[in-house]
Amino acid sequence: MKYTRAIVVLVSATLGVGSAPPLTTTAAVAADPCGLPRGVLKLADLASRSAIECGAVGRLVDAGNGVPLPVQQPGRSVTLDMLYPDGARTFTLATDARGVVTTDSHHQASKFPDLPGPGACERDTFSLRPYKWYKPWLFRTTRGTALANQSQAAFDAAARRATANMTQGRNTCGLRGGIHAAGAFVGHTNERGNFLYADGQTTCGDSDGRNVIDAGDLPGGFLEATLAWTCTWAETRHGVTMAVSADIRMNDTDYKWTYDPVNDPACRPALPPDQDRWRYDVESVLTHEIGHVYGLVNLSAAEDVNLTMYPGVRRCTGHMRTLGRGDVLGLRALYGSR
């Protein structure tokens, strides 16, 4: 009889006979009150509902073309810039003060960037992001990061120069001053940039308040992969939108790099026809990416081919190191007064 009674008690406990519904069901409903599907969400899954109320903060949402970005806290946004040798893609996910999520994406395909065009000092074109830095962008490079000659010192020096190219508006157009942006290299870190691997691809993580430049493998193969990625996080307070952190990753797997395209033997002639000898200038690409960090947007008009923010990277040249007139005017528009 004792053995039989034990079985009855066990079955009753397992089936919940005469008891309240299992707590796990209540917890699941509370954690997902909007009944969102698993995996990467579509914007329509939220249907203009608050990401806070739906428990969706931190979930991934398709920001366009299958590229996922994490839902930010209210008042925050994240922008992913992808630079190719012959174009660029940009994806933004923003969460407004009510928790409503919106996405935006742009694809700029450039004409072959080795073709001539108007001089860099002849074009006034620029386009701006809604954010800017209200404090210096202080960044670190990940220990062991090196491209081309395997020298971290050379990589660090290129990153410092690229930052100065933007903050000082270095150009040959006779434009001086008028830019009050600040930024500096402040050392090394063991941490890598805030990129994560999710849903079969790399994307931006959540803002961690740190700024890191590193190198790593980016999706795609030769000429199909991106040269570099930049993730920039921003937040809006009292109607003012400020950048709060930004990370850059250079592709050290699919492309070859140089720190001195003028004197690099692999870059002779200046546009080597042999793809195995193609090199991309580290400082040029970093200058373009740091332009995104400071709030400049890719340009799409073919006439802007010689501006730094045009998304077409010439092989074996350092032309993007020097800003064009439009690049400088854009920085002045953002940082021309304090």
Side-chain angles (χ1 to χ4, degrees):
M1 293 295 293
K2 290 182 179 180
Y3 180 76
T4 302
R5 177 179 175 80
I7 291 178
V8 171
V9 171
L10 179 60
V11 171
S12 297
T14 303
L15 298 178
V17 176
S19 62
L23 294 178
T24 52
T25 302
T26 303
V29 171
D32 187 12
C34 298
L36 300 177
R38 294 184 178 183
V40 177
L41 300 172
K42 301 291 185 182
L43 196 60
D45 294 330
L46 290 170
S48 299
R49 292 174 293 188
S50 168
I52 295 291
E53 295 175 0
C54 291
V57 172
R59 293 282 304 272
L60 293 173
V61 170
D62 185 342
N65 296 104
V67 174
L69 286 172
V71 174
Q72 305 293 293
Q73 292 283 350
R76 297 187 179 184
S77 68
V78 57
T79 298
L80 168 60
D81 287 291
M82 302 176 173
L83 178 66
Y84 296 81
D86 60 353
R89 292 182 177 183
T90 302
F91 303 90
T92 297
L93 185 149
T95 308
D96 69 15
R98 299 171 299 158
V100 175
V101 176
T102 57
T103 61
D104 189 27
S105 63
H106 298 279
H107 179 203
Q108 292 90 6
S110 68
K111 70 175 185 179
F112 191 66
D114 295 329
L115 295 177
C121 298
E122 300 175 30
R123 299 289 294 173
D124 293 344
T125 316
F126 63 84
S127 183
L128 306 179
R129 293 270 162 78
Y131 60 74
K132 61 183 283 189
W133 289 85
Y134 288 85
K135 61 181 180 180
W137 180 61
L138 304 178
F139 68 90
R140 299 178 183 272
T141 59
T142 301
R143 284 187 176 86
T145 299
L147 298 173
N149 59 8
Q150 302 305 309
S151 168
Q152 175 140 29
F155 183 85
D156 295 342
R160 287 196 299 269
R161 292 193 303 269
T163 304
N165 292 342
M166 278 294 159
T167 58
Q168 298 176 20
R170 291 177 176 171
N171 67 91
T172 58
C173 305
L175 302 173
R176 299 289 180 266
I179 300 173
H180 302 293
F185 168 70
V186 293
H188 299 132
T189 178
N190 290 325
E191 297 178 356
R192 290 178 59 74
N194 194 8
F195 301 89
L196 59 85
Y197 190 77
D199 194 46
Q201 58 185 305
T202 307
T203 185
C204 304
D206 290 319
S207 175
D208 56 10
R210 294 184 287 271
N211 309 306
V212 177
I213 301 178
D214 67 16
D217 190 11
L218 291 172
F222 181 63
L223 294 183
E224 296 179 351
T226 42
L227 287 162
W229 281 23
T230 297
C231 291
T232 307
W233 294 267
E235 64 178 81
T236 301
R237 295 182 181 179
H238 309 296
V240 176
T241 302
M242 63 192 75
V244 294
S245 62
D247 293 343
I248 298 172
R249 175 160 294 170
M250 305 286 280
N251 189 335
D252 65 359
T253 302
D254 300 296
Y255 297 102
K256 295 180 180 179
W257 299 88
T258 182
Y259 291 109
D260 188 3
V262 174
N263 298 307
D264 191 327
C267 284
R268 297 174 184 167
L271 301 176
D274 181 1
Q275 292 184 357
D276 189 56
R277 296 172 54 220
W278 290 7
R279 300 290 186 273
Y280 292 94
D281 179 44
V282 177
E283 183 179 337
S284 286
V285 172
L286 278 174
T287 300
H288 178 95
E289 294 306 294
I290 291 171
H292 291 315
V293 169
Y294 281 98
L296 298 183
V297 177
N298 289 314
L299 303 174
S300 57
E303 293 78 10
D304 297 322
V305 66
N306 287 309
L307 296 182
T308 295
M309 295 313 298
Y310 183 79
V313 185
R314 295 180 181 138
R315 59 188 185 271
C316 283
T317 74
H319 78 285
M320 296 168 77
R321 297 180 176 194
T322 304
L323 305 192
R325 180 177 178 82
D327 304 312
V328 175
L329 294 180
L331 289 166
R332 284 182 174 179
L334 279 170
Y335 302 97
S337 61
R338 297 194 176 206

